[in-house]
Amino acid sequence: MPLFELIRDAKHLVVFTGAGVSAESGIATFRDALTGLWERYDPAQLATAEAFRRDPALVWGWYESRRLQVLKAQPNPAHRAIAALARQVPELTLITQNVDDLHERAGSPEVIHLHGSLHHPRCFACNRPIALEPTSVAVNGPQEPPRCQGCNGRARPGVVWFGEALPERAIRTAMDAAKRCDCLLSIGTSGVVMPAALIPQVALEAGANVIHINMQPVECRADNEHSLIGAAGKLLPALCQQAFPA
Ligand code: BV8
Ligand code: ZN
């Protein structure tokens, strides 16, 4: 059966995205996000609470440089095709590992952020949300994080660091949807980071069709698992056009 028919006939479609879906918007994928000052760091070392404790300005500066990159970026055709799908299939659950807001800005009504967001920092000491001053000044180096009005603690990025638990509701809703769906699109993820990377597996074992869209081939272990090789911004709109001709 042609893959676009799996999307066309899906009663409940799960779309699961990684950094590859934002690559064509110019957002570096996680492992490429370390450029300039940060290029000598391993992201998995920098994206941790102890790196922040050790050097808050270095870590806060890295996230601010990424946040400003996102502010300047636009959603790409992949984000827009996903937003359109929500209006064409009976039920769609969008789950992202990304910390940008490009799905929201493309018009996706509900986005499950498994790893938090760059746009919602909070106090490292008391967890209060901390509002960010609007700024367009590019950040290319360490920057002291703002202080919490309530306890004067430092602001930390609103993301899930390595070694931190994922938001309980987000992971539970995501796993539920993976168990219930009849088709799951896994777009632009290397499937390394746990427990997010289990989601396509859960769908596959529950009998759903899983379609991977990635620049690299993804190893398929079952006949209901498929790998499409190419850029999300090209492949996804084409698939959706075949499934739901305008
Ligand atoms: C937890 C937010 C427990 C931060 C992120 C062994 C040793 C040490 C740790 C572990 C271990 N095994 C498991 C762990 C735990 C660890 C983990 O999985 N480590 C990995 C490295 C093995 N996981 C955790 O720590 C998680 N928490 O387990 O907690 C716990 C439980 C209870 C109580 C306390 C603790 C938390 C993990 C969350 C980490 N935070 N992001 C930030 O952004 O800075 S993860 C981050 O990296 C991203 O969110 C994403 O999920 C992941 C991968 O990022 P990328 O590589 O950039 O993106 P992606 O993988 O999506 O790759 C890009 C893909 O796109 C590529 O395949 C490429 O081919 C493709 N592509 C590129 N361009 C395109 C494209 N495809 C299509 N079109 C294109 N144009
Ligand atoms: Zn505080």
Side-chain angles (χ1 to χ4, degrees), residues 17-24 28-33 43-44 46-47 62-63 66 96-99 114-116 118 159-166 187-196 213-216 218 230-233:
T17 64
V21 83
S22 297
E24 288 154 272
T29 60
F30 188 66
R31 52 187 60 77
D32 307 341
L46 219 48
W62 179 43
Y63 281 92
R66 290 169 61 191
T96 189
Q97 302 171 86
N98 298 338
V99 293
L114 295 180
H115 296 156
L118 287 169
V159 301
V160 179
W161 277 327
F162 288 98
E164 293 187 325
L166 275 59
I187 307 171
T189 181
S190 58
V192 168
V193 174
M194 294 293 175
I213 294 179
N214 197 304
M215 297 298 271
Q216 314 291 334
V218 175

Side-chain angles (χ1 to χ4, degrees), residues 1 22 35 45 85 116 142 152 156 167:
M1 174 193 256
S22 297
T35 52
Q45 301 305 320
L85 271 179
N152 200 37
R156 58 157 288 168

Side-chain angles (χ1 to χ4, degrees), residues 35 38 40-41 53 75 101 113 129 137 150 169 174 209 215 219 223 243-245:
T35 52
W38 293 282
R40 63 174 177 276
Y41 295 97
R53 275 192 207 92
D101 60 345
H113 278 272
V137 174
R169 219 168 78 84
N209 290 296
M215 297 298 271
E219 188 211 342
D223 54 14
F244 303 103

Side-chain angles (χ1 to χ4, degrees), residues 46-244:
L46 219 48
T48 62
E50 90 259 358
F52 183 76
R53 275 192 207 92
R54 198 173 46 243
D55 191 341
L58 179 79
V59 174
W60 179 259
W62 179 43
Y63 281 92
E64 277 297 273
S65 69
R66 290 169 61 191
R67 183 174 71 86
L68 289 163
Q69 197 187 40
V70 169
L71 288 175
K72 291 191 190 111
Q74 293 302 324
N76 66 59
H79 296 108
R80 286 201 292 276
I82 293 166
L85 271 179
R87 297 189 291 272
Q88 286 149 330
V89 300
E91 185 181 359
L92 185 142
T93 306
L94 174 53
I95 305 163
T96 189
Q97 302 171 86
N98 298 338
V99 293
D100 65 51
D101 60 345
L102 295 180
H103 282 306
E104 290 85 344
R105 286 164 54 194
S108 287
E110 273 174 66
V111 187
I112 297 174
H113 278 272
L114 295 180
H115 296 156
S117 160
L118 287 169
H119 300 283
H120 304 298
R122 50 182 204 274
C123 176
F124 192 54
C126 75
N127 236 11
R128 277 188 184 86
I130 294 186
L132 282 170
E133 301 302 317
T135 166
S136 58
V137 174
V139 172
N140 292 312
Q143 188 181 68
E144 264 310 308
R147 292 284 174 161
C148 164
Q149 309 283 355
C151 77
N152 200 37
R154 289 189 172 90
R156 58 157 288 168
V159 301
V160 179
W161 277 327
F162 288 98
E164 293 187 325
L166 275 59
E168 183 45 43
R169 219 168 78 84
I171 189 69
R172 198 181 50 245
T173 314
M175 288 294 180
D176 256 2
K179 283 180 196 131
R180 284 190 305 112
C181 70
D182 41 0
C183 185
L184 180 142
L185 299 179
S186 176
I187 307 171
T189 181
S190 58
V192 168
V193 174
M194 294 293 175
L198 295 173
I199 286 170
Q201 193 58 37
V202 165
L204 208 56
E205 281 158 13
N209 290 296
V210 172
I211 303 170
H212 298 280
I213 294 179
N214 197 304
M215 297 298 271
Q216 314 291 334
V218 175
E219 188 211 342
C220 293
R221 283 149 298 190
D223 54 14
N224 52 328
E225 189 173 16
H226 314 272
S227 169
L228 278 179
I229 303 170
K234 307 250 174 336
L235 280 188
L236 195 59
L239 260 182
C240 296
Q241 176 57 32
Q242 286 176 295
F244 303 103

